[in-house]
PDB file of all heavy atoms in Angstrom:
ATOM      1  N   ARG A 272    -110.723-176.092-239.321  1.00  0.00           N
ATOM      2  CA  ARG A 272    -111.035-175.104-238.292  1.00  0.00           C
ATOM      3  C   ARG A 272    -112.054-175.713-237.332  1.00  0.00           C
ATOM      4  O   ARG A 272    -112.871-176.523-237.734  1.00  0.00           O
ATOM      5  CB  ARG A 272    -111.596-173.840-238.936  1.00  0.00           C
ATOM      6  CG  ARG A 272    -110.572-173.069-239.736  1.00  0.00           C
ATOM      7  CD  ARG A 272    -111.224-172.013-240.594  1.00  0.00           C
ATOM      8  NE  ARG A 272    -112.301-172.601-241.382  1.00  0.00           N
ATOM      9  CZ  ARG A 272    -113.546-172.149-241.387  1.00  0.00           C
ATOM     10  NH1 ARG A 272    -113.866-171.105-240.677  1.00  0.00           N
ATOM     11  NH2 ARG A 272    -114.470-172.730-242.127  1.00  0.00           N
ATOM     12  N   HIS A 273    -112.015-175.308-236.087  1.00  0.00           N
ATOM     13  CA  HIS A 273    -112.796-176.031-235.088  1.00  0.00           C
ATOM     14  C   HIS A 273    -114.290-175.703-235.068  1.00  0.00           C
ATOM     15  O   HIS A 273    -115.075-176.448-234.539  1.00  0.00           O
ATOM     16  CB  HIS A 273    -112.190-175.886-233.698  1.00  0.00           C
ATOM     17  CG  HIS A 273    -112.391-174.545-233.068  1.00  0.00           C
ATOM     18  ND1 HIS A 273    -111.453-173.950-232.271  1.00  0.00           N
ATOM     19  CD2 HIS A 273    -113.415-173.678-233.131  1.00  0.00           C
ATOM     20  CE1 HIS A 273    -111.914-172.781-231.872  1.00  0.00           C
ATOM     21  NE2 HIS A 273    -113.084-172.592-232.379  1.00  0.00           N
ATOM     22  N   GLN A 274    -114.698-174.582-235.649  1.00  0.00           N
ATOM     23  CA  GLN A 274    -116.109-174.159-235.544  1.00  0.00           C
ATOM     24  C   GLN A 274    -117.063-175.229-236.073  1.00  0.00           C
ATOM     25  O   GLN A 274    -118.192-175.325-235.630  1.00  0.00           O
ATOM     26  CB  GLN A 274    -116.383-172.865-236.339  1.00  0.00           C
ATOM     27  CG  GLN A 274    -115.700-171.648-235.816  1.00  0.00           C
ATOM     28  CD  GLN A 274    -114.357-171.459-236.493  1.00  0.00           C
ATOM     29  OE1 GLN A 274    -113.544-172.370-236.514  1.00  0.00           O
ATOM     30  NE2 GLN A 274    -114.128-170.290-237.055  1.00  0.00           N
ATOM     31  N   ASP A 275    -116.593-175.990-237.040  1.00  0.00           N
ATOM     32  CA  ASP A 275    -117.483-176.914-237.734  1.00  0.00           C
ATOM     33  C   ASP A 275    -117.919-178.098-236.888  1.00  0.00           C
ATOM     34  O   ASP A 275    -118.925-178.714-237.171  1.00  0.00           O
ATOM     35  CB  ASP A 275    -116.800-177.461-238.991  1.00  0.00           C
ATOM     36  CG  ASP A 275    -116.439-176.362-239.941  1.00  0.00           C
ATOM     37  OD1 ASP A 275    -117.105-175.318-239.908  1.00  0.00           O
ATOM     38  OD2 ASP A 275    -115.478-176.540-240.708  1.00  0.00           O
ATOM     39  N   PHE A 276    -117.163-178.429-235.883  1.00  0.00           N
ATOM     40  CA  PHE A 276    -117.473-179.676-235.201  1.00  0.00           C
ATOM     41  C   PHE A 276    -117.501-179.553-233.690  1.00  0.00           C
ATOM     42  O   PHE A 276    -117.644-180.526-232.991  1.00  0.00           O
ATOM     43  CB  PHE A 276    -116.465-180.759-235.616  1.00  0.00           C
ATOM     44  CG  PHE A 276    -115.044-180.307-235.545  1.00  0.00           C
ATOM     45  CD1 PHE A 276    -114.387-180.253-234.344  1.00  0.00           C
ATOM     46  CD2 PHE A 276    -114.384-179.924-236.703  1.00  0.00           C
ATOM     47  CE1 PHE A 276    -113.086-179.801-234.279  1.00  0.00           C
ATOM     48  CE2 PHE A 276    -113.083-179.472-236.640  1.00  0.00           C
ATOM     49  CZ  PHE A 276    -112.427-179.416-235.433  1.00  0.00           C
ATOM     50  N   ARG A 277    -117.332-178.351-233.167  1.00  0.00           N
ATOM     51  CA  ARG A 277    -117.395-178.194-231.713  1.00  0.00           C
ATOM     52  C   ARG A 277    -118.797-178.444-231.194  1.00  0.00           C
ATOM     53  O   ARG A 277    -119.773-178.142-231.865  1.00  0.00           O
ATOM     54  CB  ARG A 277    -116.964-176.773-231.317  1.00  0.00           C
ATOM     55  CG  ARG A 277    -115.465-176.657-231.246  1.00  0.00           C
ATOM     56  CD  ARG A 277    -115.081-175.345-230.626  1.00  0.00           C
ATOM     57  NE  ARG A 277    -115.275-175.353-229.181  1.00  0.00           N
ATOM     58  CZ  ARG A 277    -114.823-174.402-228.383  1.00  0.00           C
ATOM     59  NH1 ARG A 277    -114.192-173.363-228.885  1.00  0.00           N
ATOM     60  NH2 ARG A 277    -115.022-174.472-227.089  1.00  0.00           N
ATOM     61  N   TRP A 278    -118.848-178.965-230.003  1.00  0.00           N
ATOM     62  CA  TRP A 278    -120.158-179.166-229.377  1.00  0.00           C
ATOM     63  C   TRP A 278    -120.803-177.815-229.120  1.00  0.00           C
ATOM     64  O   TRP A 278    -120.137-176.860-228.748  1.00  0.00           O
ATOM     65  CB  TRP A 278    -120.005-179.930-228.060  1.00  0.00           C
ATOM     66  CG  TRP A 278    -119.956-181.408-228.246  1.00  0.00           C
ATOM     67  CD1 TRP A 278    -119.481-182.077-229.352  1.00  0.00           C
ATOM     68  CD2 TRP A 278    -120.379-182.405-227.335  1.00  0.00           C
ATOM     69  NE1 TRP A 278    -119.589-183.428-229.154  1.00  0.00           N
ATOM     70  CE2 TRP A 278    -120.141-183.661-227.920  1.00  0.00           C
ATOM     71  CE3 TRP A 278    -120.950-182.361-226.066  1.00  0.00           C
ATOM     72  CZ2 TRP A 278    -120.442-184.859-227.289  1.00  0.00           C
ATOM     73  CZ3 TRP A 278    -121.246-183.563-225.423  1.00  0.00           C
ATOM     74  CH2 TRP A 278    -121.001-184.802-226.041  1.00  0.00           C
ATOM     75  N   ILE A 279    -122.107-177.796-229.332  1.00  0.00           N
ATOM     76  CA  ILE A 279    -122.869-176.565-229.093  1.00  0.00           C
ATOM     77  C   ILE A 279    -123.270-176.501-227.620  1.00  0.00           C
ATOM     78  O   ILE A 279    -123.753-177.479-227.052  1.00  0.00           O
ATOM     79  CB  ILE A 279    -124.136-176.542-229.973  1.00  0.00           C
ATOM     80  CG1 ILE A 279    -123.732-176.281-231.412  1.00  0.00           C
ATOM     81  CG2 ILE A 279    -125.125-175.499-229.469  1.00  0.00           C
ATOM     82  CD1 ILE A 279    -124.870-176.372-232.386  1.00  0.00           C
ATOM     83  N   TYR A 280    -123.032-175.361-227.030  1.00  0.00           N
ATOM     84  CA  TYR A 280    -123.461-175.155-225.642  1.00  0.00           C
ATOM     85  C   TYR A 280    -124.789-174.428-225.655  1.00  0.00           C
ATOM     86  O   TYR A 280    -124.858-173.293-226.095  1.00  0.00           O
ATOM     87  CB  TYR A 280    -122.432-174.307-224.885  1.00  0.00           C
ATOM     88  CG  TYR A 280    -121.121-175.002-224.664  1.00  0.00           C
ATOM     89  CD1 TYR A 280    -120.227-175.164-225.700  1.00  0.00           C
ATOM     90  CD2 TYR A 280    -120.788-175.498-223.410  1.00  0.00           C
ATOM     91  CE1 TYR A 280    -119.018-175.819-225.504  1.00  0.00           C
ATOM     92  CE2 TYR A 280    -119.588-176.152-223.209  1.00  0.00           C
ATOM     93  CZ  TYR A 280    -118.704-176.310-224.257  1.00  0.00           C
ATOM     94  OH  TYR A 280    -117.529-176.958-224.069  1.00  0.00           O
ATOM     95  N   PRO A 281    -125.842-175.080-225.193  1.00  0.00           N
ATOM     96  CA  PRO A 281    -127.118-174.347-225.126  1.00  0.00           C
ATOM     97  C   PRO A 281    -126.986-173.202-224.139  1.00  0.00           C
ATOM     98  O   PRO A 281    -126.215-173.294-223.187  1.00  0.00           O
ATOM     99  CB  PRO A 281    -128.106-175.400-224.623  1.00  0.00           C
ATOM    100  CG  PRO A 281    -127.295-176.492-224.029  1.00  0.00           C
ATOM    101  CD  PRO A 281    -125.939-176.429-224.638  1.00  0.00           C
ATOM    102  N   PRO A 282    -127.739-172.121-224.358  1.00  0.00           N
ATOM    103  CA  PRO A 282    -127.581-170.920-223.537  1.00  0.00           C
ATOM    104  C   PRO A 282    -127.725-171.199-222.042  1.00  0.00           C
ATOM    105  O   PRO A 282    -127.031-170.609-221.231  1.00  0.00           O
ATOM    106  CB  PRO A 282    -128.696-169.992-224.014  1.00  0.00           C
ATOM    107  CG  PRO A 282    -129.298-170.623-225.210  1.00  0.00           C
ATOM    108  CD  PRO A 282    -128.735-171.978-225.407  1.00  0.00           C
ATOM    109  N   GLU A 283    -128.609-172.142-221.689  1.00  0.00           N
ATOM    110  CA  GLU A 283    -128.832-172.390-220.265  1.00  0.00           C
ATOM    111  C   GLU A 283    -127.670-173.137-219.616  1.00  0.00           C
ATOM    112  O   GLU A 283    -127.602-173.262-218.408  1.00  0.00           O
ATOM    113  CB  GLU A 283    -130.154-173.139-220.039  1.00  0.00           C
ATOM    114  CG  GLU A 283    -130.210-174.542-220.589  1.00  0.00           C
ATOM    115  CD  GLU A 283    -130.730-174.584-222.040  1.00  0.00           C
ATOM    116  OE1 GLU A 283    -130.627-173.565-222.750  1.00  0.00           O
ATOM    117  OE2 GLU A 283    -131.225-175.634-222.440  1.00  0.00           O
ATOM    118  N   VAL A 284    -126.786-173.671-220.425  1.00  0.00           N
ATOM    119  CA  VAL A 284    -125.678-174.453-219.886  1.00  0.00           C
ATOM    120  C   VAL A 284    -124.425-173.608-219.680  1.00  0.00           C
ATOM    121  O   VAL A 284    -123.632-173.850-218.784  1.00  0.00           O
ATOM    122  CB  VAL A 284    -125.365-175.654-220.813  1.00  0.00           C
ATOM    123  CG1 VAL A 284    -124.037-176.285-220.459  1.00  0.00           C
ATOM    124  CG2 VAL A 284    -126.482-176.676-220.715  1.00  0.00           C
ATOM    125  N   GLY A 285    -124.246-172.599-220.490  1.00  0.00           N
ATOM    126  CA  GLY A 285    -123.054-171.786-220.340  1.00  0.00           C
ATOM    127  C   GLY A 285    -122.523-171.402-221.700  1.00  0.00           C
ATOM    128  O   GLY A 285    -123.093-171.779-222.716  1.00  0.00           O
ATOM    129  N   ASP A 286    -121.447-170.661-221.721  1.00  0.00           N
ATOM    130  CA  ASP A 286    -120.914-170.245-223.010  1.00  0.00           C
ATOM    131  C   ASP A 286    -119.806-171.205-223.430  1.00  0.00           C
ATOM    132  O   ASP A 286    -119.547-172.206-222.786  1.00  0.00           O
ATOM    133  CB  ASP A 286    -120.433-168.798-222.952  1.00  0.00           C
ATOM    134  CG  ASP A 286    -119.323-168.625-221.941  1.00  0.00           C
ATOM    135  OD1 ASP A 286    -118.624-169.617-221.643  1.00  0.00           O
ATOM    136  OD2 ASP A 286    -119.161-167.506-221.434  1.00  0.00           O
ATOM    137  N   GLU A 287    -119.168-170.873-224.529  1.00  0.00           N
ATOM    138  CA  GLU A 287    -118.209-171.818-225.100  1.00  0.00           C
ATOM    139  C   GLU A 287    -116.884-171.851-224.350  1.00  0.00           C
ATOM    140  O   GLU A 287    -116.002-172.621-224.674  1.00  0.00           O
ATOM    141  CB  GLU A 287    -117.974-171.485-226.579  1.00  0.00           C
ATOM    142  CG  GLU A 287    -119.277-171.523-227.353  1.00  0.00           C
ATOM    143  CD  GLU A 287    -119.092-171.981-228.796  1.00  0.00           C
ATOM    144  OE1 GLU A 287    -117.928-172.084-229.226  1.00  0.00           O
ATOM    145  OE2 GLU A 287    -120.095-172.223-229.461  1.00  0.00           O
ATOM    146  N   ASP A 288    -116.742-171.012-223.333  1.00  0.00           N
ATOM    147  CA  ASP A 288    -115.499-171.049-222.563  1.00  0.00           C
ATOM    148  C   ASP A 288    -115.493-172.205-221.583  1.00  0.00           C
ATOM    149  O   ASP A 288    -114.465-172.515-221.000  1.00  0.00           O
ATOM    150  CB  ASP A 288    -115.294-169.738-221.797  1.00  0.00           C
ATOM    151  CG  ASP A 288    -115.132-168.582-222.764  1.00  0.00           C
ATOM    152  OD1 ASP A 288    -114.617-168.825-223.868  1.00  0.00           O
ATOM    153  OD2 ASP A 288    -115.533-167.463-222.419  1.00  0.00           O
ATOM    154  N   GLY A 289    -116.633-172.799-221.367  1.00  0.00           N
ATOM    155  CA  GLY A 289    -116.640-173.937-220.468  1.00  0.00           C
ATOM    156  C   GLY A 289    -118.013-174.255-219.958  1.00  0.00           C
ATOM    157  O   GLY A 289    -118.987-173.574-220.269  1.00  0.00           O
ATOM    158  N   PHE A 290    -118.081-175.295-219.178  1.00  0.00           N
ATOM    159  CA  PHE A 290    -119.343-175.731-218.634  1.00  0.00           C
ATOM    160  C   PHE A 290    -119.733-174.890-217.438  1.00  0.00           C
ATOM    161  O   PHE A 290    -118.894-174.371-216.720  1.00  0.00           O
ATOM    162  CB  PHE A 290    -119.235-177.163-218.136  1.00  0.00           C
ATOM    163  CG  PHE A 290    -119.095-178.161-219.229  1.00  0.00           C
ATOM    164  CD1 PHE A 290    -117.921-178.856-219.398  1.00  0.00           C
ATOM    165  CD2 PHE A 290    -120.159-178.412-220.078  1.00  0.00           C
ATOM    166  CE1 PHE A 290    -117.799-179.788-220.405  1.00  0.00           C
ATOM    167  CE2 PHE A 290    -120.036-179.341-221.079  1.00  0.00           C
ATOM    168  CZ  PHE A 290    -118.852-180.031-221.248  1.00  0.00           C
TER     169      PHE A 290
END
Side-chain angles (χ1 to χ4, degrees):
R272 291 167 309 126
H273 74 216
Q274 294 92 307
D275 300 334
F276 48 79
R277 277 190 76 169
W278 275 29
I279 287 174
Y280 292 75
E283 66 270 24
V284 167
D286 61 25
E287 302 212 350
D288 296 330
F290 290 112

